[in-house]
Amino acid sequence: MPPPHTGANICEIASNMLLDWGIEKKLFSITLDNAGANLCFIEHLKKSLVLKKALLCSGEFFHNRCCAHILNLIVQDGLKCIDESVHFVRSSVAYVKASQARKVKFLECCKQLDIPSQKGLHGDVSTRWNSTYHMLDSAIVYQTAFQQLELVDKNFKVCPSNEDWKKIEHLCSFLKHFNDITELLSGSKYPTANLYFHNVWKIHLSLLKMINQGEDYVKKMAQEMKKKFDKYWDSYSIILAIAVVFDPRYKLIFVRYAFDKIYSLDSTAMEKFNLVKSTLARLFEEYRCMEITEEERGFQSHAIEDNTVGDVLDWEELSMYESSTTTVIQDKSELDLYLEEPRIKDPIKHYDVLAFWKSQGSKYRDLSRMARDVLTIPVSTVASESAFSARGRVIDKYRSKLLPTNAEALICLRDWMFGVDFRAEPVDDASDLANALGNVLSLDVSGDTNITVEPTQRSSNASTAANV
């Protein structure tokens, strides 16, 4: 959009788009990062839609913050208190990568110690916390190679000690949870809303344990991360906590179990559970009072893989906890009936939660509509942002001066040929894409057409080829 990129201007353009697309009264939520203009935009848009009675619960669940951005902020705050051992690793990696001669000497050390050199060393950048994790993770593999380099290179004086390496291993295992969860919640091939609660709970539990039981060099880091966690996720996201209730493997009992698990470390845990429970009932009542249309019944499902990170919980322990807290409810609603049904006890590797609710549409008419809307909330903006990051695959060093219309035509061609998810394509498609682009740039778009275009003319005709 043209400048200025103020919240009011973004709201005006977005509102016009919603009207053009005919979805102004079909919105449930919007997921944004923490940019100041976005906060202003969402405030304007929410007020406008509430006046038109287009949002449930007066827009209480309309705005969702991008989980990947919040995780980035949490870890970035922690890395400000990073231990000195990390600086030694950073300096060691920078020393080796500073010249070709040093790289050769380092590879010789790896060869002498029989260490595979395929993984390589990774530097880090200040704006991407996970680059620091990948730097530490790659450096650990070459611990003995660095120590060998220290013996053969008198100028290498920043090698971490054995004690430093132990700290790095501990720190790496701590940061790995955040890295794995960031990747999981940034997925685009499966619903992510039902994955939010137990992974954020796992982070919360990890931070509390690190603060209370961790080593001093990690404790200060965890304390800073906990401050940022409390700023954004003190009460978790209520609507995304509700989303895990609609996963038949977890239900409401897991939310209670999770908060009960951290009650000894966080005295407000049960208040948070009661808030989730009361909000769930209130939102269901809104859906129960809504009229249903045939169009609303037809949401599609896709086979997905359960991407729960690690052993998030002890399933046997959860089952025992469930049996000890079961209560009988009279005059039951759809929500009560669903919650009373036995959970799917075992963690299923390939579980399609949307297909489950599609199959339950006739049994739980109102609840299935609510589940459809809640489960399809994207918890991260990473997937949509990456869709606009195809520059390097189109405007490479051979096509660095493409006109905007031609660049757009090439991106559209890629979309039509291989689908919308650029990242999902295997490497083997690169040669097919290059051949296809060559045909397009030469206007060879059909078997019956044999048109030759001079190289100087190719750029100006690319958009025509794409339109054909």
Side-chain angles (χ1 to χ4, degrees):
M1 61 174 284
H5 296 161
T6 62
N9 280 356
I10 297 174
C11 181
E12 181 181 356
I13 290 178
S15 297
N16 290 334
M17 286 181 171
L18 296 176
L19 282 172
D20 290 342
W21 297 337
I23 60 171
E24 188 183 33
K25 295 189 176 181
K26 297 182 179 181
L27 298 179
F28 183 79
S29 72
I30 185 168
T31 304
L32 298 167
D33 60 26
N34 297 319
N38 284 343
L39 299 178
C40 182
F41 151 60
I42 200 67
E43 184 179 345
H44 281 78
L45 183 60
K46 180 178 172 180
K47 287 180 180 178
S48 174
L49 294 175
V50 168
L51 287 174
K52 298 173 184 177
K53 297 183 179 180
L55 296 178
L56 287 168
C57 297
S58 299
E60 183 179 343
F61 314 112
F62 185 54
H63 180 204
N64 288 290
R65 296 177 185 269
C66 172
C67 289
H69 283 83
I70 294 177
L71 278 171
N72 181 59
L73 294 174
I74 290 172
V75 183
Q76 286 283 16
D77 274 22
L79 291 178
K80 292 175 183 176
C81 306
I82 206 160
D83 191 75
E84 188 180 21
S85 57
V86 176
H87 297 299
F88 285 133
V89 172
R90 182 180 290 118
S91 299
S92 297
V93 172
Y95 179 86
V96 171
K97 295 170 76 71
S99 72
Q100 188 62 31
R102 292 174 183 175
K103 291 178 184 177
V104 171
K105 188 175 289 187
F106 184 76
L107 288 173
E108 289 176 355
C109 293
C110 292
K111 189 174 181 180
Q112 292 172 11
L113 297 169
D114 199 25
I115 300 175
S117 57
Q118 288 83 0
K119 185 169 185 177
L121 294 172
H122 302 284
D124 68 336
V125 292
S126 59
T127 55
R128 295 179 57 218
W129 76 265
N130 53 342
S131 67
T132 302
Y133 163 73
H134 290 302
M135 176 190 71
L136 299 177
D137 186 52
S138 66
I140 288 174
V141 177
Y142 299 103
Q143 174 182 345
T144 54
F146 279 117
Q147 293 170 335
Q148 177 69 14
L149 182 65
E150 185 182 28
L151 296 176
V152 300
D153 187 346
K154 63 180 181 180
N155 295 319
F156 181 46
K157 301 177 180 179
V158 289
C159 182
S161 64
N162 288 330
E163 187 64 28
D164 288 329
W165 285 114
K166 289 180 181 179
K167 291 181 179 180
I168 292 299
E169 288 180 2
H170 190 194
L171 184 60
C172 237
S173 63
F174 177 60
L175 292 177
K176 185 178 187 301
H177 298 308
F178 293 87
N179 182 70
D180 292 346
I181 290 170
T182 299
E183 292 179 356
L184 171 66
L185 297 182
S186 301
S188 60
K189 296 293 186 181
Y190 47 85
T192 51
N194 60 312
L195 304 176
Y196 164 88
F197 180 82
H198 47 279
N199 283 295
V200 172
W201 167 69
K202 185 178 180 182
I203 290 174
H204 191 189
L205 193 61
S206 175
L207 290 175
L208 290 173
K209 286 183 176 178
M210 198 62 67
I211 290 170
N212 287 277
Q213 305 166 11
E215 300 288 342
D216 290 340
Y217 62 89
V218 181
K219 185 178 295 186
K220 188 176 180 182
M221 180 179 175
Q223 287 171 341
E224 292 301 316
M225 294 170 73
K226 179 64 166 55
K227 290 177 184 177
K228 189 68 74 174
F229 181 96
D230 289 342
K231 179 178 178 180
Y232 292 106
W233 284 339
D234 180 47
S235 298
Y236 292 52
S237 167
I238 301 299
I239 190 63
L240 295 178
I242 288 173
V244 79
V245 176
F246 289 110
D247 190 325
R249 297 167 296 175
Y250 298 96
K251 297 194 174 184
L252 187 62
I253 191 64
F254 173 69
V255 180
R256 181 172 180 176
Y257 164 84
F259 282 127
D260 201 31
K261 195 84 171 174
I262 63 174
Y263 182 74
S264 60
L265 301 171
D266 183 352
S267 58
T268 64
M270 294 317 294
E271 293 178 19
K272 296 172 184 175
F273 167 72
N274 290 329
L275 180 60
V276 173
K277 185 177 180 180
S278 61
T279 306
L280 171 65
R282 181 161 51 87
L283 183 58
F284 171 69
E285 189 62 23
E286 289 250 356
Y287 274 88
R288 195 181 65 80
C289 297
M290 288 169 55
E291 292 185 4
I292 189 170
T293 64
E294 288 301 318
E295 180 186 358
E296 288 181 315
R297 292 187 181 278
F299 68 94
Q300 297 179 349
S301 64
H302 302 275
I304 63 167
E305 180 176 348
D306 173 30
N307 290 286
T308 302
V309 175
D311 296 321
V312 175
L313 61 114
D314 185 331
W315 291 93
E316 184 176 347
E317 182 183 349
L318 177 58
S319 297
M320 293 173 62
Y321 183 87
E322 179 182 32
S323 61
S324 66
T325 56
T326 302
T327 56
V328 178
I329 304 173
Q330 303 296 329
D331 194 17
K332 299 166 184 174
S333 65
E334 287 183 12
L335 179 60
D336 298 327
L337 292 171
Y338 164 70
L339 294 177
E340 279 191 2
E341 279 189 348
R343 286 182 307 102
I344 297 175
K345 301 288 185 180
D346 299 320
I348 298 174
K349 185 65 176 175
H350 299 277
Y351 188 75
D352 191 340
V353 67
L354 293 180
F356 170 83
W357 282 105
K358 185 176 182 180
S359 67
Q360 299 294 313
S362 57
K363 182 177 181 181
Y364 301 118
R365 189 194 70 168
D366 301 319
L367 198 62
S368 63
R369 287 189 296 155
M370 180 176 167
R372 174 203 61 195
D373 291 343
V374 173
L375 288 171
T376 49
I377 295 174
V379 302
S380 167
T381 62
V382 172
S384 57
E385 286 175 1
S386 64
F388 294 92
S389 300
R391 180 198 61 79
R393 292 180 286 276
V394 175
I395 307 176
D396 56 23
K397 61 182 180 179
Y398 301 111
R399 300 193 189 97
S400 59
K401 294 185 179 180
L402 284 177
L403 294 173
T405 52
N406 296 342
E408 182 178 0
L410 292 174
I411 291 176
C412 285
L413 176 66
R414 172 82 192 215
D415 178 25
W416 299 337
M417 293 182 66
F418 299 113
V420 296
D421 193 343
F422 297 145
R423 299 167 303 150
E425 298 305 325
V427 178
D428 294 343
D429 287 339
S431 58
D432 295 338
L433 178 62
N435 293 334
L437 292 179
N439 292 336
V440 169
L441 291 174
S442 64
L443 287 183
D444 185 12
V445 293
S446 70
D448 300 326
T449 305
N450 187 16
I451 302 174
T452 303
V453 181
E454 293 299 323
T456 55
Q457 296 175 309
R458 289 182 177 178
S459 177
S460 63
N461 284 295
S463 60
T464 305
N467 289 334
V468 171

